């Protein structure tokens, strides 16, 4: 199995990025990743004014998938996420939802032991290991790794976890897939501006679906499928518009499965959930979650 070291990373998704690895469809790859601040925060006393914010959310890669052409789909099946023994969380002024009410900055260094994050002597949080940044190169201008969009990117969706397959668009030859920004724990919203940021490794299998395949005909991207659910993801500066985009994408998937637009809308309203992924990035991200038994392809 091929492994990419964390030193081979990008700070923006771009068609101009040089691939660090070429693979065939179906190969498995190990991505070693930095944490979201590239290890700049050593402990709780690290000064904020010394941080280089241009080094935020590095993504390991990119990977060129042989034969991937514009209009195809990359399916990234997440087999394993391993995280370091310690992570960091932070909040402060001008950061996150409470940024206007907080006067200073705070960093918490959190040990990870026996499947739990030790938030305090009395609070142990179960891990929900996930990938914050995963995407392909956009067709147009480069997109910083901290920004989510149609190519994926910093979606901060806690369902991008072990056992899930993330479907991403091929906008340029080879797709140029990269991922990073692992979290050992994170709640929907990520309101403080971070999850439990950790370095680690991701083992993933990457498959190519051609533009004329059933999946390419039905899916609206980005999307996630796990054992129980199918999810559509959308990002926009306006949270209401992001919701509309994600719902419309799920409606279109159901229409491809022979539902009328009316029945699709009612089914989502009765059996689907609209969930917030994050509200702290330049574009806010939501997902629509529907039992996959309703979608046949």
């Amino acid at each position: 199995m091929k492994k990419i070291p964390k030193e081979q990373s990008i700070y923006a998704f771009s068609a101009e990025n040089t691939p660090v690895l070429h693979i065939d469809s179906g190969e498995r790859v190990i991505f070693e990743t930095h944490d979201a601040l590239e290890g700049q925060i050593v402990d709780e006393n690290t000064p904020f004014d010394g941080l280089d914010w241009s080094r935020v959310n590095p993504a390991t890669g990119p990977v060129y998938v042989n034969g991937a052409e514009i209009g195809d789909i990359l399916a990234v099946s997440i087999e394993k996420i391993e995280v370091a023994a310690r992570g960091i969380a932070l909040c402060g002024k001008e950061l996150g939802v409470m940024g206007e009410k907080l006067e200073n900055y705070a960093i918490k260094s959190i040990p990870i032991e026996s499947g739990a994050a030790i938030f305090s002597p009395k609070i142990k949080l179960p891990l929900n290991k996930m990938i914050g940044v995963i995407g392909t190169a956009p067709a147009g201008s480069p997109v910083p790794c901290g920004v989510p969009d149609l190519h994926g990117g910093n979606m901060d969706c806690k369902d991008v976890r072990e056992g899930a397959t993330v479907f991403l668009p091929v906008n340029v030859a080879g797709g140029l897939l990269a991922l990073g920004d692992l979290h050992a724990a994170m709640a929907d919203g990520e309101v403080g501006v971070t999850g439990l940021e950790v370095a680690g490794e991701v083992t993933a299998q990457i498959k190519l679906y051609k533009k004329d395949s059933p999946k390419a005909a039905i899916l609206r991207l980005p999307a996630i499928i796990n054992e129980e659910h199918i999810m559509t993801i959308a990002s926009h500066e306006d949270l209401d518009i992001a919701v509309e985009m994600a719902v419309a994408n799920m409606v279109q998937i159901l229409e491809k499965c022979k539902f009328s637009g009316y029945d699709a809308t009612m089914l989502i309203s009765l059996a689907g959930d609209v969930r917030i992924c994050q509200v702290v990035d330049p574009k806010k991200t939501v997902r629509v979650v529907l039992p996959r038994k309703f979608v046949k392809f």
Side-chain angles (χ1 to χ4, degrees), residues 201-212:
E201 287 187 353
V202 176
T203 302
Q205 183 183 45
I206 302 162
K207 291 184 179 180
L208 172 65
Y209 290 96
K210 301 302 292 181
K211 65 184 73 176
D212 57 356

Side-chain angles (χ1 to χ4, degrees), residues 186-209:
M186 193 194 83
D188 279 338
E190 197 186 24
V191 298
V193 88
T194 72
L196 180 49
E197 308 292 337
V198 288
E201 287 187 353
V202 176
T203 302
Q205 183 183 45
I206 302 162
K207 291 184 179 180
L208 172 65
Y209 290 96

Side-chain angles (χ1 to χ4, degrees), residues 122-162:
K122 294 184 178 181
I123 299 176
K124 294 183 179 181
L125 304 174
L127 301 188
N128 61 314
K129 299 176 291 184
M130 46 81 68
I131 301 169
V133 173
I134 182 170
T136 52
S141 301
V143 179
C145 288
V147 179
D149 211 322
L150 298 175
H151 70 293
N154 193 29
M155 298 180 291
D156 282 321
C157 174
K158 70 180 187 181
D159 284 307
V160 182
R161 52 179 170 80
E162 292 176 347

Side-chain angles (χ1 to χ4, degrees), residues 63 83 106 109 125 154 171 190 194 201 210 224 227 292:
V63 173
V83 297
S109 179
L125 304 174
N154 193 29
N171 302 306
E190 197 186 24
T194 72
E201 287 187 353
K210 301 302 292 181
I224 301 171
E227 271 192 24
R292 64 179 293 180

Side-chain angles (χ1 to χ4, degrees), residues 71-75 77 165 167 207-221 223 225 230 253 256 292 295-297:
D72 295 343
I73 291 176
L74 293 186
S77 296
T165 299
F167 294 85
K207 291 184 179 180
L208 172 65
Y209 290 96
K210 301 302 292 181
K211 65 184 73 176
D212 57 356
S213 69
K215 280 187 172 62
I218 290 177
L219 288 176
R220 295 295 177 265
L221 306 177
I225 296 178
I230 180 170
I253 288 173
K256 292 289 185 178
R292 64 179 293 180
V295 179
K296 307 295 185 182
F297 58 84

Side-chain angles (χ1 to χ4, degrees), residues 206-282:
I206 302 162
K207 291 184 179 180
L208 172 65
Y209 290 96
K210 301 302 292 181
K211 65 184 73 176
D212 57 356
S213 69
K215 280 187 172 62
I218 290 177
L219 288 176
R220 295 295 177 265
L221 306 177
I224 301 171
I225 296 178
N226 60 28
E227 271 192 24
E228 298 179 348
H229 298 101
I230 180 170
M231 294 165 243
T232 52
I233 301 177
S235 301
H236 196 276
E237 291 88 348
D238 186 316
L239 185 61
D240 289 343
I241 295 175
V243 171
E244 292 171 9
M245 292 167 61
V247 171
N249 283 347
M250 188 64 81
V251 167
Q252 289 178 38
I253 288 173
L254 290 171
E255 287 176 333
K256 292 289 185 178
C257 296
K258 309 305 181 184
F259 287 81
S260 71
Y262 299 98
D263 278 352
T265 301
M266 286 187 282
L267 179 63
I268 296 168
S269 192
L270 297 177
D273 290 318
V274 176
R275 299 176 184 169
I276 292 173
C277 297
Q278 59 76 29
V279 291
V280 295
D281 295 336

